[in-house]
């Protein structure tokens, strides 16, 4: 009987051991398959992120070239004008561009016609890249040079044709200081992980953007460049070899042979499951199955959010400013900080006065050039304000917004509103025409229970009602009611700043 009992106990133990082994084997198979699936999904996730970043970078540099081309539309007569007239026209065109670049105007034969006052140091760099930029123009795209150092500062040269009677009259070259242009903010808007590095490099491998401003103009690490070079001009994903492998995603920006690079340590890229210790794999089989399911659910949510972000353009295609979608997200984030931390928030709602008449009289193309030029002045004023948290946006048509945050935001909002009024009162040159417009600016401040955007919009309309008053309106109630537009009744809105309309 003792032997039978012992055999029974042995049979039970054996059955339990077999069940544990079978469960363990099943768990290992499920874990390995989920790990492989996760690796494939993460790889596709990285492709989506990198492609989205490349789209943003291409959009930014494309807008930069389009703004320069718009400025060059009026320079055709300057190519054959006297030197003093040509220089004055060039200075006026360059001053309207983002970053106020050094500019050189040459004839179609390559002879210098005029240069801005800050263009002398650009000469040596321009001599090296002028031929390659001209070839890019002949290929039908704006010329974009590699990074060069002018007076020790990383600089890129953009070339656009200057139209003339019957064809091209010359070429406008502009050298942009990369430490001044906000390029990095346009290619680092998406989260690629705390250990990932994102940069745009020129054909020589020099960084056009970097996490540290001191790295702009330096060569990308050789291991990353070597991995990227194996992918070819179309880009893709590669992994370096060695004890510390790195996953590199490389994609063409679309101008001048520049590339977008995203590199990340392989363990972070593939996830911890792929590099788990073999002993822990056996000990934590059941836990790994649960973790695999949880990671897949969390990753699916993250991937859905990334795809949603990648599918929505955040930049206005005409002006290069953030669009309504980007503005709405920034406004929601600011209001959350206002509610949670008491952060002061101000919103400027700007509406161009006289734009419709220019658009109707000169056509939509001229209207678009006017919007681009107005957006450039808006950007210049806001960047000069020194408010690092400012967000500019084009809501649509001729409506723009500026969102400000700070401990004492009211003086900043007043200064920006007055500066915008002055900047946009200066006439614009559109081809052979000089047009004068104005701007009505409404200012509102975040208050509990109020709609900040609606308050700023109402303040702007009341500003229009006192457009020719000697003193701008400071509250909506100061506007004369008979000339104000019909809007729904509401509690008193936040203070507004008026702008004289020409």
């Amino acid at each position: 009987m003792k032997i039978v009992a012992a055999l029974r106990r042995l049979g039970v133990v054996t059955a339990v051991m077999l069940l544990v082994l079978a469960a363990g084997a099943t768990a290992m198979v499920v874990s390995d398959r989920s790990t492989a699936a996760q690796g494939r999904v993460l790889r596709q996730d990285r492709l989506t992120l990198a492609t989205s970043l490349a789209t943003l970078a291409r959009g930014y540099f494309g807008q930069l070239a389009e703004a320069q081309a718009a400025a060059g539309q009026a320079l055709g007569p300057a190519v054959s004008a006297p030197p003093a007239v040509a220089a004055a026209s060039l200075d006026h065109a360059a001053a309207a561009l983002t970053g106020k670049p050094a500019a050189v105007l040459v004839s179609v034969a390559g002879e210098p016609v005029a240069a801005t006052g800050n263009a002398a140091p650009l000469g040596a760099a321009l001599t090296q890249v002028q031929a390659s930029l001209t070839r890019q123009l002949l290929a039908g795209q704006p010329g974009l040079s590699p990074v060069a150092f002018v007076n020790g500062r990383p600089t890129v040269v953009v070339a656009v044709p200057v139209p003339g009677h019957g064809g091209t009259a010359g070429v406008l070259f502009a050298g942009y200081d990369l430490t001044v242009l906000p390029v990095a903010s346009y290619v680092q808007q998406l989260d690629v992980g705390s250990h990932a590095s994102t940069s745009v490099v020129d054909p020589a491998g020099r960084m056009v953007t970097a996490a540290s401003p001191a790295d702009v103009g330096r060569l990308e690490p050789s291991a990353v460049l070597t991995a990227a070079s194996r992918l070819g001009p179309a880009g893709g994903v590669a992994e370096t070899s060695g004890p510390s492998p790195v996953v590199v995603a490389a994609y063409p920006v679309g101008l001048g042979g520049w590339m977008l690079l995203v590199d990340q340590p392989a363990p972070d890229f593939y996830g911890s499951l792929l590099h788990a210790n073999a002993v822990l794999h056996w000990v934590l089989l059941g836990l790994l199955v649960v973790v695999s399911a949880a990671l897949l659910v969390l990753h699916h949510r993250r991937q859905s959010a990334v795809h949603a972000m990648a599918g929505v353009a955040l930049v206005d295609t005409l002006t290069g400013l953030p669009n309504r979608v980007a503005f709405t997200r920034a406004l929601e984030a600011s209001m959350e900080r206002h509610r949670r931390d008491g952060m002061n928030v101000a919103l400027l709602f700007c509406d161009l006065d006289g734009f419709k008449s220019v658009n109707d009289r000169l056509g939509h193309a001229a209207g678009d050039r006017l919007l681009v030029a107005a957006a450039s002045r808006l950007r210049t004023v806001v960047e000069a304000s020194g408010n690092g948290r400012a967000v500019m946006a084009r809501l649509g048509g001729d409506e723009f917004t500026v969102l400000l945050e700070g401990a004492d935001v009211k003086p900043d909002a007043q200064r920006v509103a007055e500066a915008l009024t002055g900047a946009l009162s200066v006439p614009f040159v559109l081809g052979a025409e000089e047009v004068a417009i104005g701007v009505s600016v409404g200012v509102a401040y975040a208050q509990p229970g109020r709609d900040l955007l609606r308050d700023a919009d109402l303040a702007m309309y009341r500003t229009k009602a006192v457009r020719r008053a000697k003193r701008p309106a400071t509250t909506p109630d100061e506007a004369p009611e008979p000339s104000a537009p019909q809007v729904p009744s509401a509690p008193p809105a936040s203070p507004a700043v008026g702008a004289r309309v020409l």
Side-chain angles (χ1 to χ4, degrees), residues 43 53 89-90 95 108 134-135 138 192 196 200 250 258 260 271 275 290 301 333 371 394 402 441 447:
R43 184 180 293 108
L53 286 167
S89 299
L90 182 61
V108 72
T134 302
R135 285 195 297 271
L138 293 175
V192 292
V200 175
W258 291 14
L260 175 87
H275 300 274
V290 176
R301 293 180 179 177
L371 288 174
R394 180 191 177 205
V402 180
V441 183
Q447 301 175 29

Side-chain angles (χ1 to χ4, degrees), residues 63-64 66-74 92-100 316 318-321 352 355 358 364-381 392 394 397 400 420 422-431 433 435 437-438:
Q63 291 296 329
L64 198 69
E66 288 177 7
Q68 183 173 326
Q73 290 289 322
H92 186 275
L97 296 175
T98 300
K100 294 182 174 55
D316 178 55
L318 178 64
T319 64
L321 294 176
L352 301 183
F355 170 77
V358 174
H364 292 294
D368 287 347
R369 293 198 298 273
L370 179 58
L371 288 174
V372 170
S376 177
R377 293 190 189 180
L378 171 68
R379 184 185 293 111
T380 300
V381 168
M392 301 161 281
R394 180 191 177 205
F400 299 85
L420 284 174
L424 293 176
S425 67
V426 178
F428 293 82
V429 177
L430 301 177
E433 289 271 353
V435 298
I437 62 172

Side-chain angles (χ1 to χ4, degrees), residues 87-378:
S89 299
L90 182 61
D91 286 340
H92 186 275
L97 296 175
T98 300
K100 294 182 174 55
V104 177
L105 179 64
V106 303
S107 67
V108 72
E111 297 296 328
V113 174
T116 56
N118 58 348
L122 187 65
L126 184 58
T127 301
Q128 297 176 2
V129 300
Q130 185 170 351
S132 64
L133 296 183
T134 302
R135 285 195 297 271
Q136 293 179 40
L137 292 178
L138 293 175
Q141 65 179 7
L144 191 63
S145 77
V147 177
F149 285 89
V150 176
N151 281 346
R153 301 177 71 86
T155 302
V156 62
V157 180
V158 176
V160 297
V162 174
H165 295 294
T168 300
V171 180
L172 173 61
F173 296 95
Y176 295 87
D177 186 342
L178 291 176
T179 62
V180 174
L181 290 177
V183 183
S185 64
Y186 284 84
V187 296
Q188 294 173 352
Q189 296 183 40
L190 298 180
D191 181 13
V192 292
S194 59
H195 297 94
S197 175
T198 304
S199 63
V200 175
V201 299
D202 67 14
R206 293 190 181 276
M207 298 184 195
V208 182
T209 70
S212 171
D215 290 334
V216 174
R218 296 181 180 176
L219 286 172
E220 183 78 22
S222 59
V224 175
L225 291 176
T226 301
S229 65
R230 297 200 303 266
L231 297 172
V237 177
E239 183 174 341
T240 63
S241 58
S244 301
V246 174
V247 174
V248 178
Y251 293 90
V253 169
L255 291 171
W258 291 14
M259 295 286 288
L260 175 87
L261 298 180
V262 180
D263 61 273
Q264 186 177 17
D268 291 338
F269 178 84
Y270 291 110
S272 60
L273 290 177
L274 194 62
H275 300 274
N277 183 277
V279 176
L280 293 177
H281 196 139
W282 280 96
V283 176
L284 302 176
L285 283 174
L287 180 61
L288 286 176
V289 173
V290 176
V291 171
S292 297
L295 285 177
L296 288 174
V297 171
L298 292 175
H299 175 72
H300 175 73
R301 293 180 179 177
R302 177 174 178 270
Q303 187 186 31
S304 298
V306 169
H307 281 299
M309 182 178 290
V312 178
L314 299 178
V315 177
D316 178 55
T317 56
L318 178 64
T319 64
L321 294 176
N323 63 8
R324 180 181 288 272
V325 174
F327 165 75
T328 301
R329 294 180 182 178
L331 179 60
E332 290 173 351
S334 293
M335 294 306 295
E336 176 61 27
R337 286 189 287 271
H338 172 71
R339 289 187 291 269
R340 185 186 65 230
D341 305 326
M343 176 67 71
N344 292 325
V345 180
L347 177 61
L348 283 68
F349 197 108
C350 310
D351 184 83
L352 301 183
D353 298 313
F355 170 77
K356 184 176 185 301
S357 63
V358 174
N359 200 49
D360 293 343
R361 183 167 57 89
L362 300 181
H364 292 294
D368 287 347
R369 293 198 298 273
L370 179 58
L371 288 174
V372 170
S376 177
R377 293 190 189 180
L378 171 68

Side-chain angles (χ1 to χ4, degrees), residues 397-441:
D398 59 348
E399 294 180 340
F400 299 85
T401 55
V402 180
L403 186 63
L404 301 173
E405 291 184 16
D408 190 13
V409 79
K410 289 188 177 182
D412 285 348
Q414 297 293 325
R415 284 193 296 270
V416 171
E418 293 169 2
L420 284 174
T421 301
L424 293 176
S425 67
V426 178
F428 293 82
V429 177
L430 301 177
E433 289 271 353
E434 183 177 273
V435 298
I437 62 172
V439 63
S440 292
V441 183

Side-chain angles (χ1 to χ4, degrees), residues 10-98:
L10 179 61
V12 171
V13 171
T14 302
V16 171
M17 291 182 61
L18 290 175
L19 289 174
V20 169
L21 289 175
T26 302
M28 286 184 64
V29 172
V30 172
S31 177
D32 289 340
R33 289 183 177 179
S34 67
T35 299
Q38 186 188 23
R40 290 192 298 271
V41 172
L42 282 171
R43 184 180 293 108
Q44 182 60 44
D45 185 29
R46 180 62 59 222
L47 290 172
T48 302
L49 286 172
T51 304
S52 299
L53 286 167
T55 301
L56 289 173
R58 183 184 299 114
Y60 177 77
F61 291 110
Q63 291 296 329
L64 198 69
E66 288 177 7
Q68 183 173 326
Q73 290 289 322
L75 291 178
V79 175
S80 57
V85 175
S89 299
L90 182 61
D91 286 340
H92 186 275
L97 296 175
T98 300

